[in-house]
């Protein structure tokens, strides 16, 4: 309730938990933030595969945690993230390489279901009669054929239209963006290096847990990978925005926010966590805090310490 009170109209909230509590917390979050503001139940694979069957367990390996993602309203900030395609997808879809550049591409449809301007015309192609590949007949040689060449006019499939005007198709041909089937039908080259990647989904398997050799490992029981918090912060905030972690533990969210150019506030009740977080920031960003890391509420004298104890 208090977090909802301090959130700006553009704000979002992520609640991290495990499957033993996520269903209860989902009901709680619906009550506070309204079910219409629910965005995702994100599954994060937090551990590599393991099995407890040798110890007598009778369940599948428990390797994931949950992030419940809510926005305050429809004005919330959202920055789409794209990930690299999986190798199996690339091998299946991007099977062709440009002869001149070697760039990988897939073939795209150049037809549409509905008309839109100059989209029902005959596309003219040609090729050497003794063999070779089809190419666009941009010089209108179709009307005045040369000896030793084969010409053909191609129209869209039945009940279909070209997706682009004849002028745009000609530009694609000049740019080498068209490739032809054996019958002379044009297809579009969609180059892999021009694609943004696959849109972010709600199952995250590409963020590795912190292992015993990880440089960022602090030995804190609930420490999360910095990459996990960096993704959350990137998705739902912009540089200069304020990131609040009200249960910040060892300070992963504050480190990620600082690295991404956000302002930040971290809160924790134990001084073990507060001291660890302060030292982590100083060690990670030497020179960024010449006056130290400010801790609000830290006792500065005996009277303040007594007041805190009470």
């Amino acid at each position: 309730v208090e977090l909802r009170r301090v959130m700006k109209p553009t704000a979002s909230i992520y609640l991290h938990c495990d499957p033993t509590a996520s269903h209860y917390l989902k009901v709680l979050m619906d009550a506070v933030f309204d079910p219409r503001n629910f965005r995702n139940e994100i599954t994060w694979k937090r551990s590599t595969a393991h099995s407890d069957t040798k110890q007598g367990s009778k369940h599948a390996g428990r390797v994931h945690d949950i992030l419940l993602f809510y926005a305050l309203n429809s004005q919330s900030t959202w920055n789409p993230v794209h990930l690299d395609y999986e190798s199996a997808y690339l091998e299946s879809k991007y099977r062709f390489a440009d002869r001149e550049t070697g760039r990988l591409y897939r073939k795209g449809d150049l037809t549409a279901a509905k008309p839109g301007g100059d989209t029902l015309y005959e596309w003219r192609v040609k090729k050497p009669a003794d063999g070779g590949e089809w190419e666009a007949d941009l010089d209108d040689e179709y009307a005045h054929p040369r000896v030793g060449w084969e010409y053909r006019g191609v129209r869209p499939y039945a009940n279909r239209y070209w997706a682009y005007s004849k002028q745009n198709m000609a530009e694609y041909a000049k740019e080498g963006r068209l490739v032809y089937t054996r019958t002379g039908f044009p297809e579009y080259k969609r180059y892999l290096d021009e694609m943004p990647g696959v849109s972010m989904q709600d199952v995250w398997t590409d963020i590795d847990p912190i292992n015993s050799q990880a440089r960022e490992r602090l030995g804190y029981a609930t420490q999360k990978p910095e990459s996990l918090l960096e993704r959350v912060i990137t998705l739902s905030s912009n540089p200069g925005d304020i990131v609040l972690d009200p249960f910040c533990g060892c300070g992963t969210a504050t480190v990620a926010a600082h690295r991404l150019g956000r302002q930040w506030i971290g809160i924790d009740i134990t001084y073990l966590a507060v001291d660890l977080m302060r030292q982590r920031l100083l060690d990670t960003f030497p020179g960024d805090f010449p006056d130290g890391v400010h801790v609000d509420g830290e006792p500065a004298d005996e009277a303040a310490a007594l007041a805190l104890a009470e």
Side-chain angles (χ1 to χ4, degrees):
V1 172
E2 286 300 295
L3 292 174
R4 186 184 186 281
R5 179 181 63 81
V6 301
M7 287 169 63
K8 293 181 179 179
T10 55
S12 298
I13 183 169
Y14 291 78
L15 189 155
H16 176 275
C17 54
D18 67 29
T20 63
S22 59
H23 49 302
Y24 299 114
L25 293 170
K26 173 69 166 57
V27 175
L28 174 65
M29 296 292 281
D30 280 347
V32 175
F33 291 95
D34 191 322
R36 292 170 294 183
N37 291 323
F38 171 70
R39 293 295 180 263
N40 285 109
E41 179 182 273
I42 298 168
T43 299
W44 169 48
K45 185 181 178 184
R46 60 168 173 78
S47 174
T48 55
H50 60 80
S51 173
D52 298 327
T53 55
K54 292 182 179 180
Q55 286 73 41
S57 66
K58 297 181 179 181
H59 58 76
R62 295 166 178 165
V63 297
H64 80 278
D65 277 356
I66 297 295
L67 284 84
L68 298 176
F69 166 32
Y70 285 76
L72 188 61
N73 53 47
S74 60
Q75 302 177 46
S76 64
T77 299
W78 178 250
N79 301 312
V81 169
H82 294 84
L83 304 178
D84 293 338
Y85 296 111
E86 295 183 356
S87 57
Y89 176 83
L90 295 178
E91 293 172 3
S92 171
K93 301 298 182 182
Y94 288 89
R95 299 180 289 111
F96 308 98
D98 191 281
R99 285 188 174 183
E100 295 183 0
T101 64
R103 297 167 68 192
L104 296 177
Y105 69 88
R106 64 177 298 182
K107 296 177 181 179
D109 188 9
L110 285 168
T111 67
K114 297 181 179 180
D118 178 24
T119 56
L120 191 59
Y121 52 86
E122 184 180 79
W123 183 247
R124 300 172 179 178
V125 295
K126 63 182 180 179
K127 73 173 181 177
D130 59 356
E133 297 181 354
W134 293 101
E135 60 183 80
D137 180 20
L138 299 178
D139 297 324
D140 202 19
E141 294 174 333
Y142 178 75
H144 306 282
R146 292 188 297 166
V147 176
W149 284 80
E150 180 181 351
Y151 298 89
R152 181 173 295 180
V154 182
R155 289 187 173 276
Y157 304 120
N159 301 318
R160 300 280 294 182
Y161 304 84
W162 294 118
Y164 304 96
S165 68
K166 193 171 185 178
Q167 180 179 353
N168 286 340
M169 286 277 278
E171 290 298 320
Y172 289 146
K174 293 175 183 177
E175 295 170 1
R177 302 299 299 246
L178 301 184
V179 63
Y180 296 89
T181 67
R182 287 180 294 178
T183 62
F185 199 87
E187 295 178 305
Y188 185 71
K189 292 182 180 178
R190 298 190 184 278
Y191 287 108
L192 174 60
D193 57 20
E194 294 177 348
M195 303 304 291
V198 62
S199 298
M200 176 67 62
Q201 307 296 300
D202 63 1
V203 177
W204 297 355
T205 61
D206 61 315
I207 298 178
D208 294 330
I210 299 176
N211 58 42
S212 58
Q213 285 76 43
R215 293 183 61 185
E216 63 184 271
R217 179 181 175 85
L218 298 172
Y220 199 85
T222 58
Q223 183 179 359
K224 308 297 185 297
E226 291 179 16
S227 53
L228 177 65
L229 275 299
E230 287 174 359
R231 175 169 295 175
V232 166
I233 292 169
T234 298
L235 286 170
S236 295
S237 71
N238 296 314
D241 288 349
I242 300 175
V243 174
L244 168 63
D245 185 349
F247 312 101
C248 59
C250 61
T252 302
T254 60
V255 169
H258 194 81
R259 180 175 289 117
L260 293 173
R262 274 65 166 174
Q263 302 179 75
W264 50 264
I265 302 170
I267 302 173
D268 207 283
I269 197 171
T270 69
Y271 274 94
L272 173 64
V274 171
D275 190 57
L276 179 60
M277 177 170 46
R278 173 167 46 194
Q279 195 57 49
R280 182 179 183 182
L281 287 164
L282 294 173
D283 292 342
T284 306
F285 306 104
D288 282 13
F289 303 98
D291 299 324
V293 176
H294 173 68
V295 178
D296 184 36
E298 182 177 43
D301 52 39
E302 182 179 357
L306 291 171
L308 179 64
E310 293 174 359

